[in-house]
Amino acid sequence: MATEQRRKLRFHILRYNPQEAGSTPRMQTYELEEAVGMTLFIALSEIREKQDPSLQFDFVCRAGICGSCGMMINGRPGLACRTLTMNLDADITLAPLPVFALIGDLSVNTGKWMRAMSERLETWVHMKQQEVDIARIEERMEPELAEGIYLLDRCVECGCCVAGCGTARMRQDFVGAVGINKIARFRLDPRDGRNDADFYELVGDDDGVFGCMSLLACHDVCPKNLPLQTQIAFVRRKMVREGLS
Amino acid sequence: MKVVYTDVLVIGGGLAGLRMAIAARRRGYDAIILSLVPAKRSHSKAAQGGMQASLGNVIKGQGDNEDVHFEDTVRGSDWGADQDVVRMFVNTAPKAVRELAAWGVPWSRVQRGDRDVVINGQRVTITERDEAHGTVAQRDFGGTKKWRTCYVSDGTGHAMLTTVADRAIAEQIAVHERTEALALIHDGSRCYGAIVRNLITGELVAYVAKATGIATGGAGRLYRVTTNAVICEGIGHALALETGAAALGNMEAVQFHPTGIFPAGILVTEGCRGDGGLLKDVDGHRFMPDYEPEKKELASRDVVSRRMEQHIAAGKGVQSRFGEHLWLDITLLGEHHIKRNLREVYEICQYFLGVDPVKDLIPVRPAQHYTMGGVRTRHTGESPTLKGLFAAGEAACWDMHGFNRLGGNSVAETVVAGMIVGEYVADFCDDGANDANVPMGLVHEFMQREQAKLDRMLDGRGTEDASQLSVAMKELMTAKVGIFRRGGDLEQAVEELQKLLVRSRNIGLHYRSRGANPELVTAYRTQKMLKLALCVAYGALVRTESRGAHFREDFPRRNDAEWLSRTLASWKDENDTLPKLVHQPLDVKRMELPPGWRGYGAKDYVDHPDTPGRLKEVEEIKASLAGADRFAVQSAVMPYEHLLPARYHGRNERIDERFDSGGGPGGGARTSRAAQTGAEVVMTKVKEA
């Protein structure tokens, strides 16, 4: 069997631990021999195991479904766990997602940001009646509608859309595509008793849908390929109508 | 010393923990959830295929009810389950689906009329009833008689977790993210909360609570090859074990999922086979019907995984540079179905394998998937030996899965257990006798002990490398405590694991930061995980029979006469290198479904002496009640409803079992005329494959 030429990968990683006195931001380079099927999860785990036990990063499912491992991969936000090194050059630059509070190295506090967004936009079904009789047959829903809601519900709150957003850099309280998509999701859901006047209160301003400059990097970088462009435009149209009425 | 007080402390922010906290909150108690990661990133997220609940909406689920779900689950467990708990579970599962439907889960719904499905390799047209249109749909899963698995495309856990986590936010439940419990505070008979480490700052905080709930999921990371997330390290199990008071049940019962993608071990759902996907070998031959003519690819997971390994051992595996594998073929399902109902599978194949499952076969091999064992509790979720400690979900052993869990029953268990145990937690808090009279000296003592353990690793002269010990453990478990187990291998594993445990007491760190420190985390978790690994390996060595997922090549038969029992492991002394094992017999004389053949897998087993008598007794009760409805019969054979919280008593309405108009929960369900007319609508036309 012919031996394959294994590439020597060079990872240039932005290191900074704000918890540690005297730590300053710096780039650090690690070399690693590439393996077949190597993902950034495998590579970073190996670096931590064999070269640098202090390196911080977040992985949970390592299967592209939990949204933990958003980071800047060669300058572009993406999920590290499902990024294969074979699709990248031998020099790979990794940095934490901007906008979110830095925990250390590649680890950022998306959880705190997302919780605040959820509280502010009240990202839950506002049930028309509080108690449902769960012994009875469930309320019916058209199959296409259920699927439509699920398509928007596939968001994993990874933060890539926020990290790629121009407005989010300038307006600290901007809800981001993730937030606007949530509004679109609950607006579509007949179980939610809120109407456009209610949603206008939540996103009818510059920190909401009118803050979007339509640069739409969010749409390009969303790892779940959510239809963010369409949803932002749609919610904006509805909110304009609501604002004018 | 920083102390946080709360009524209910829930350790674990997945579905079970969230739902437990919501239940307590709704009863007026403060609840705090501790979570290693943001709640929505918990491993509940990874449940793809769906949640079993006997709604019976789809035509292939018609006739389904609690009784059928009960029997499937008990057979699946290879009679290791607690049948009372299974009854509680199957009666509550439909309520759980309906509650989640009201909360916003976008369950996939039934479309009236004809649709094409693949059954047993053949394309078949089935016709859904008009009256089912828009209700929650079900798909087929392994080990079930009816199509019972409710689903949201193949992102069921994701959708459930999103909804329940948002519900918890709506109810203003605090989730303390990036915190990790290091030890339970207890005096040997009562649990008072936990010592908790902040993973960002490294600070230790004492959380003092009336009731403490463990809902930390499974321990898949004891193995090298697992579908489990990297956080599924069984730390909740270990917290309970290290009290010396609480016990772990059936830790040797470890499930291997047939379709982990090879070699990464990432899960592709059982829904692939449920929807008609086939397993094939190196020759492209569909081999499962050769071994399991009755259920084929849809026998229970333990059976399918063993048959796959057996087939590979017979030389029929596909060679690759990483070893051997088999193929999962879903090409016959067609592009529309795959991209709509198996979307996550499609993405996983595309990103991790560079494979298009619409056209290509998927390389698969069984991988560790589920921990049937857990913190032993009563049906209330409370430890029988450590008051105030509760557990729910995969971390618990209350014990509804016995020695093998059915697909779709775990994500169902998370919410059902959260609902039930949450009520009992609130009951516990209601009882004035349980007011926590916390001895602060004890809290202080635990705090100092945990701090000292960390200091020893951070400042001491330990020489062992935590990562190396962890890797060695995982290799051992995968090589010697896997799907096929042999006495000699297990003895070696136990011996080697004991050595690793002793070495782990001498871990030294290269990176000595007291704040965020991944190496420190690996170090203290490895010490805990080695104890769990020993519970698994030693439990497997001692159990000289085969039951469910525990398969001994040297003892291939299920032996009810000697081993119809639950293994209880406890760790009495910190310096021990082995758990103490006790085997608690299951009472055949109380069983609604006495032991027998599962309907798939091996047919020979050794009967328990009480089995024939109980079988006869059950038959007689049923005969004496001929003509009575199924509820009356069930209740005469094994009454269980008194074990459920009052809120969850009562029957479940179905299209074929309508309540009288105005009848609510507990109201008389009766078969309506729709059942008969519905049945007439069924038309099954078989076309060419």
Side-chain angles (χ1 to χ4, degrees):
Chain A
M1 205 187 286
T3 51
E4 289 168 44
Q5 193 67 37
R6 298 238 180 123
R7 291 195 301 172
K8 182 83 73 183
L9 302 175
R10 281 172 302 279
F11 290 89
H12 310 287
I13 298 178
L14 181 56
R15 303 292 313 273
Y16 176 44
N17 185 352
Q19 309 292 327
E20 207 162 78
S23 174
T24 49
R26 65 190 191 285
M27 296 303 291
Q28 188 166 347
T29 299
Y30 302 91
E31 289 197 352
L32 194 67
E33 187 173 288
E34 189 169 33
V36 175
M38 183 177 257
T39 60
L40 291 181
F41 162 67
I42 295 170
L44 286 169
S45 300
E46 196 176 317
I47 290 172
R48 181 150 88 188
E49 199 180 297
K50 302 202 173 130
Q51 300 186 35
D52 189 341
S54 72
L55 184 63
Q56 292 186 61
F57 48 76
D58 293 317
F59 289 98
V60 178
C61 75
R62 61 79 171 92
I65 51 181
C66 79
S68 296
C69 62
M71 60 181 72
M72 302 299 278
I73 304 161
N74 291 334
R76 189 184 168 92
L79 295 183
C81 75
R82 67 177 203 190
T83 301
L84 291 163
T85 55
M86 61 182 267
N87 296 329
L88 304 174
D89 289 340
D91 279 281
I92 299 166
T93 304
L94 301 178
L97 291 183
V99 182
F100 302 98
L102 180 69
I103 292 172
D105 303 333
L106 301 173
S107 172
V108 293
N109 205 333
T110 48
K112 192 175 157 193
W113 195 99
M114 294 296 165
R115 169 97 186 198
M117 178 273 297
S118 281
E119 286 174 353
R120 188 165 134 215
L121 300 185
E122 302 181 14
T123 61
W124 52 86
V125 162
H126 288 48
M127 285 180 280
K128 290 165 187 161
Q129 77 258 25
Q130 278 309 304
E131 284 291 321
V132 282
D133 186 348
I134 56 177
R136 309 299 298 249
I137 291 174
E138 62 277 8
E139 207 172 302
R140 284 153 210 270
M141 181 183 276
E142 281 301 314
E144 297 78 29
L145 177 59
E147 198 186 341
I149 295 169
Y150 173 62
L151 286 182
L152 304 183
D153 213 33
R154 290 183 74 230
C155 171
V156 294
E157 301 187 9
C158 60
C160 288
C161 60
V162 177
C165 175
T167 304
R169 301 288 186 99
M170 297 186 294
R171 307 188 74 93
Q172 208 189 338
D173 293 327
F174 183 56
V175 297
V178 53
I180 296 167
N181 179 66
K182 299 255 174 201
I183 294 296
R185 179 246 179 269
F186 288 104
R187 206 181 159 280
L188 192 59
D189 196 327
R191 294 167 291 197
D192 196 315
R194 289 178 289 185
N195 58 28
D196 276 346
D198 299 317
F199 291 125
Y200 187 83
E201 290 300 315
L202 300 171
V203 292
D205 62 11
D206 287 354
D207 285 332
V209 74
F210 300 128
C212 171
M213 302 183 288
S214 302
L215 299 177
L216 295 173
C218 54
H219 185 93
D220 295 338
V221 300
C222 175
K224 290 287 149 184
N225 297 313
L226 296 181
L228 298 175
Q229 178 175 5
T230 328
Q231 294 307 317
I232 291 171
F234 182 71
V235 171
R236 180 161 43 210
R237 200 165 73 230
K238 295 295 173 193
M239 292 300 103
V240 166
R241 196 173 64 183
E242 185 61 34
L244 294 175
S245 70
Chain B
M1 180 174 69
K2 190 164 161 189
V3 184
V4 173
Y5 296 90
T6 182
D7 295 320
V8 180
L9 178 67
V10 176
I11 306 174
L15 280 170
L18 288 164
R19 187 60 188 82
M20 198 195 315
I22 290 169
R25 188 87 181 91
R26 289 187 161 195
R27 292 271 300 271
Y29 292 102
D30 277 338
I32 293 177
I33 296 173
L34 304 178
S35 184
L36 297 173
V37 296
K40 284 178 193 162
R41 314 222 190 282
S42 306
H43 191 54
S44 304
K45 187 90 155 190
Q48 294 171 0
M51 151 166 184
Q52 283 205 43
S54 59
L55 298 185
N57 290 330
V58 296
I59 203 71
K60 288 284 187 182
Q62 199 178 22
D64 199 9
N65 58 40
E66 297 84 359
D67 298 350
V68 189
H69 191 184
F70 169 81
E71 293 210 356
D72 285 345
T73 302
V74 173
R75 290 176 197 281
S77 81
D78 221 352
W79 278 272
D82 180 322
Q83 297 194 7
D84 283 327
V85 170
V86 177
R87 269 291 170 191
M88 292 165 66
F89 163 73
V90 298
N91 197 59
T92 310
K95 296 180 172 71
V97 170
R98 287 166 173 165
E99 178 177 82
L100 292 171
W103 287 5
V105 171
W107 295 112
S108 295
R109 303 286 174 145
V110 180
Q111 172 72 51
R112 66 165 74 87
D114 287 355
R115 66 185 176 118
D116 279 358
V117 296
V118 175
I119 298 174
N120 193 19
Q122 299 222 293
R123 195 158 278 277
V124 173
T125 301
I126 58 176
T127 308
E128 296 296 352
R129 296 172 285 181
D130 281 347
E131 59 266 41
H133 184 76
T135 57
V136 173
Q138 292 80 39
R139 62 165 38 134
D140 201 6
F141 249 46
T144 65
K145 285 209 176 69
K146 300 282 180 184
W147 290 21
R148 184 183 302 127
T149 305
C150 306
Y151 59 99
V152 184
S153 182
D154 65 342
T156 311
H158 164 89
M160 289 168 69
L161 185 61
T162 303
T163 296
V164 176
D166 280 337
R167 191 69 238 153
I169 297 174
E171 314 227 350
Q172 298 176 324
I173 294 168
V175 180
H176 293 192
E177 295 173 1
R178 296 177 186 266
T179 58
E180 173 165 10
L182 298 181
L184 297 176
I185 304 167
H186 69 97
D187 58 13
S189 58
R190 172 78 162 96
C191 180
Y192 298 104
I195 302 296
V196 177
R197 182 167 180 268
N198 181 319
L199 292 171
I200 299 177
T201 63
E203 184 185 22
L204 295 195
V205 176
Y207 282 67
V208 172
K210 267 189 205 172
T212 305
I214 291 180
T216 48
R221 291 278 156 178
L222 296 177
Y223 288 82
R224 179 173 56 79
V225 183
T226 173
T227 64
N228 283 193
V230 300
I231 53 170
C232 300
E233 301 187 301
I235 299 308
H237 289 78
L239 291 174
L241 183 69
E242 289 186 332
T243 62
L248 303 183
N250 290 342
M251 287 304 287
E252 67 270 33
V254 178
Q255 180 171 83
F256 292 79
H257 195 290
T259 57
I261 64 169
F262 188 82
I266 292 169
L267 175 73
V268 289
T269 174
E270 184 157 328
C272 291
R273 284 171 289 132
D275 290 2
L278 306 175
L279 291 168
K280 293 183 172 174
D281 65 15
V282 65
D283 305 321
H285 171 64
R286 180 190 175 194
F287 58 90
M288 277 307 296
D290 305 343
Y291 296 109
E292 294 294 330
E294 288 89 359
K295 295 292 285 184
K296 307 177 183 72
E297 282 84 357
L298 289 173
S300 62
R301 288 175 178 173
D302 57 327
V303 171
V304 177
S305 289
R306 275 200 293 277
R307 298 304 195 188
M308 290 170 73
E309 289 297 331
Q310 187 180 349
H311 204 60
I312 290 173
K316 294 294 183 183
V318 183
Q319 300 286 343
S320 88
R321 59 183 301 166
F322 299 106
E324 289 172 275
H325 64 81
L326 294 162
W327 299 114
L328 172 64
D329 181 0
I330 60 170
T331 59
L332 67 169
L333 306 185
E335 182 169 4
H336 178 72
H337 182 91
I338 292 172
K339 289 193 173 169
R340 201 163 136 263
N341 287 322
L342 298 169
R343 211 182 308 255
E344 299 298 331
V345 170
Y346 182 79
E347 278 193 10
I348 286 168
C349 290
Q350 185 188 356
Y351 284 104
F352 293 94
L353 296 169
V355 153
D356 178 359
V358 173
K359 301 194 297 258
D360 306 323
L361 305 183
I362 308 169
V364 292
R365 186 160 185 175
Q368 192 286 345
H369 183 62
Y370 191 80
T371 308
M372 268 77 73
V375 180
R376 176 64 189 147
T377 74
R378 300 192 179 101
H379 68 279
T380 58
E382 188 180 8
S383 163
T385 46
L386 190 57
K387 195 175 161 187
L389 179 68
F390 292 79
E394 190 171 353
C397 175
W398 60 336
D399 151 9
M400 70 163 270
H401 303 304
F403 277 73
N404 177 65
R405 166 178 80 74
L406 292 186
N409 260 356
S410 73
V411 81
E413 182 193 23
T414 61
V415 282
V416 168
M419 290 162 79
I420 293 173
V421 176
E423 290 301 319
Y424 283 120
V425 165
D427 287 352
F428 180 88
C429 293
D430 282 348
D431 187 344
N434 293 327
D435 281 348
N437 227 333
V438 189
M440 286 313 287
L442 185 73
V443 176
H444 203 73
E445 194 184 305
F446 270 84
M447 181 68 114
Q448 282 180 328
R449 188 194 301 179
E450 290 309 308
Q451 189 62 61
K453 280 191 209 165
L454 300 182
D455 290 347
R456 208 154 48 233
M457 282 188 280
L458 288 163
D459 307 329
R461 299 207 168 80
T463 52
E464 296 289 349
D465 182 272
S467 273
Q468 278 179 18
L469 297 178
S470 169
V471 169
M473 170 191 73
K474 290 169 192 214
E475 288 295 341
L476 263 176
M477 293 298 286
T478 298
K480 298 194 190 294
V481 200
I483 296 179
F484 288 103
R485 299 169 173 182
R486 304 164 199 88
D489 282 355
L490 292 169
E491 274 171 27
Q492 277 178 26
V494 168
E495 196 174 312
E496 294 294 320
L497 288 167
Q498 284 180 285
K499 285 183 194 158
L500 292 175
L501 177 64
V502 171
R503 286 171 61 191
S504 76
R505 291 167 182 164
N506 185 34
I507 288 177
L509 299 180
H510 304 96
Y511 180 57
R512 296 190 166 187
S513 168
R514 294 179 170 271
N517 183 343
E519 191 185 12
L520 176 63
V521 171
T522 304
Y524 60 68
R525 287 191 194 163
T526 299
Q527 292 174 333
K528 288 180 158 63
M529 290 167 80
L530 278 164
K531 290 180 185 162
L532 296 183
L534 276 158
C535 290
V536 178
Y538 189 45
L541 172 63
V542 172
R543 183 173 284 272
T544 49
E545 65 149 1
S546 292
R547 182 179 299 274
H550 169 67
F551 189 84
R552 285 285 297 261
E553 281 189 342
D554 40 357
F555 298 94
R557 285 199 300 179
R558 190 180 88 207
N559 184 345
D560 291 344
E562 290 178 59
W563 287 107
L564 190 59
S565 62
R566 181 176 298 121
T567 308
L568 296 181
S570 55
W571 206 284
K572 297 292 181 195
D573 186 325
E574 182 62 21
N575 296 313
D576 287 349
T577 58
L578 273 183
K580 302 260 183 301
L581 299 186
V582 177
H583 294 91
Q584 183 182 49
L586 304 188
D587 187 0
V588 175
K589 290 181 186 155
R590 263 197 50 74
M591 287 183 183
E592 179 175 342
L593 185 65
W597 181 51
R598 300 168 84 188
Y600 43 79
K603 286 184 183 166
D604 59 332
Y605 50 87
V606 182
D607 255 334
H608 190 280
D610 291 341
T611 297
R614 179 59 180 166
L615 273 170
K616 188 157 165 280
E617 195 175 30
V618 170
E619 284 311 311
E620 283 166 5
I621 295 171
K622 287 182 177 169
S624 73
L625 287 170
D629 71 18
R630 65 186 183 89
F631 302 99
V633 175
Q634 193 286 320
S635 170
V637 177
M638 191 186 76
Y640 75 94
E641 200 175 46
H642 61 288
L643 301 173
L644 275 173
R647 175 187 292 268
Y648 300 124
H649 284 200
R651 300 175 184 182
N652 297 296
E653 190 177 32
R654 292 181 181 79
I655 292 170
D656 298 324
E657 281 184 317
R658 296 277 188 182
F659 286 171
D660 294 331
S661 54
R670 66 190 174 90
T671 309
S672 73
R673 193 158 293 145
Q676 289 101 49
T677 52
E680 286 160 17
V681 184
V682 188
M683 290 179 293
T684 306
K685 301 167 231 158
V686 179
K687 289 187 198 161
E688 294 282 312

